[in-house]
Amino acid sequence: MKHVFNSNPLRYTAVLGLFAILLAISCTSEKEPLPDECEGSISLQTTIGSEANCGQSTGSFTVVATGGSAPYTYALNGGTAQSSASFDNLAAGSYTLTVTDNSGCTAEISVNIANQDGVNASISGTTASDCDAPNGSISVSATDGAGPYQYKLNDNAFQSGNTFDGLAPGNYTVTVRDANNCEVSLQATIKSDVVFAQVKNIIQTNCAVSGCHNGTTFPDLRVDNNIVAQASRIKARTGAKTMPPSSSGRSLSDDEIAEIACWVNDGASLN
């Protein structure tokens, strides 16, 4: 049987299109989002309604959000989001408020509710931790109430020292108690010592390569701002070991994956 090569230009174009799709799939297995344009779009201002009495949840505050795209939702310490900008029945301590606008952009602010008649405290210092060897620290300063003070980290036992060492990157709760058993809780964050230059080198060496994110496939990871804008997606895909894909012949070490995660958890800045 005689075979005749079909030179139909439409079919030839379709084959080229299919080849381009396969090339893109070899580089990325999912659609990338558009670059993040949220940074700095929302401004927050809080007003303390009332301070707390020792041992009682009588504190309150209200936040005013401007910018971004209304309406907004408000979540306290990572809890369930609500439409109201007011928070009541709060014990003394520090809180992290996250505001999300209608476009999905977010902004955070710390709010402190003081004890009217007992101990008050603040985080006096933190040191960063190695990403793979916990060596961060938190120091606390206490005032008011009745000494001596005691301090505890998360759900651990109270101690007399006001410093906690050997901490991994992450979020912590520090509770201070005075001699009258009045308490105040603070939120503290230990960041990693990973800098953007390290992450940039990992990503551009393994992902911004020929036929992949070097301008031929969105996003172009040769551009610093594109790495920052896609930080969460990069963390998710490198953590799942789908970036870079096995078909590329490249792979990341566990330490490299951990460095990317630490950088993203720290806020994915151009530090």
Side-chain angles (χ1 to χ4, degrees):
M1 181 177 181
K2 184 177 180 180
H3 295 277
V4 179
F5 177 74
N6 191 331
S7 59
N8 186 315
L10 293 177
R11 181 171 297 181
Y12 181 70
T13 300
V15 171
L16 287 179
L18 178 60
F19 177 77
I21 291 172
L22 292 175
L23 180 62
I25 291 174
S26 70
C27 176
T28 179
S29 60
E30 56 188 279
K31 183 179 179 181
E32 303 283 357
L34 293 173
D36 190 351
E37 298 178 350
C38 293
E39 186 173 358
S41 62
I42 304 173
S43 297
L44 304 177
Q45 184 173 0
T46 58
T47 300
I48 302 299
S50 59
E51 296 178 339
N53 298 110
C54 182
Q56 300 181 40
S57 298
T58 53
S60 65
F61 74 89
T62 301
V63 62
V64 175
T66 56
S69 176
Y72 310 99
T73 58
Y74 309 84
L76 201 60
N77 287 354
T80 302
Q82 63 180 49
S83 58
S84 173
S86 296
F87 292 85
D88 304 304
N89 304 316
L90 301 176
S94 65
Y95 298 85
T96 299
L97 176 68
T98 302
V99 178
T100 304
D101 74 1
N102 196 47
S103 298
C105 295
T106 62
E108 286 189 353
I109 191 170
S110 294
V111 182
N112 294 312
I113 299 294
N115 257 324
Q116 287 185 332
D117 50 359
V119 62
N120 287 293
S122 62
I123 302 298
S124 56
T126 61
T127 59
S129 170
D130 288 343
C131 193
D132 55 355
N135 60 357
S137 67
I138 298 172
S139 297
V140 187
S141 295
T143 59
D144 304 327
Y149 306 114
Q150 292 184 306
Y151 311 82
K152 77 171 182 177
L153 188 69
N154 293 342
D155 294 325
N156 298 323
F158 278 99
Q159 64 179 47
S160 58
N162 67 331
T163 299
F164 302 91
D165 300 307
L167 304 179
N171 298 318
Y172 295 89
T173 299
V174 179
T175 302
V176 183
R177 182 173 67 187
D178 71 5
N180 294 325
N181 289 323
C182 189
E183 296 183 358
V184 60
S185 294
L186 309 172
Q187 306 302 313
T189 299
I190 295 293
K191 293 193 173 184
S192 76
D193 58 3
V194 177
V195 297
F196 176 70
Q198 296 170 253
V199 173
K200 174 182 176 179
N201 181 63
I202 295 169
I203 293 172
Q204 293 188 342
T205 299
N206 294 280
C207 303
V209 295
S210 178
C212 198
H213 294 290
N214 69 333
T216 58
T217 301
F218 176 84
D220 185 349
L221 296 181
R222 298 172 301 178
V223 180
D224 291 359
N225 287 336
N226 287 348
I227 295 175
V228 173
Q230 304 295 330
S232 295
R233 181 61 59 86
I234 290 171
K235 173 190 172 183
R237 295 192 59 211
T238 54
K241 298 189 176 182
T242 60
M243 178 182 180
S246 57
S247 58
S248 70
R250 299 171 182 268
S251 62
L252 302 184
S253 68
D254 289 342
D255 285 347
E256 289 173 324
I257 293 172
E259 287 182 3
I260 292 172
C262 281
W263 171 72
V264 176
N265 293 342
D266 284 348
S269 65
L270 286 166
N271 55 0

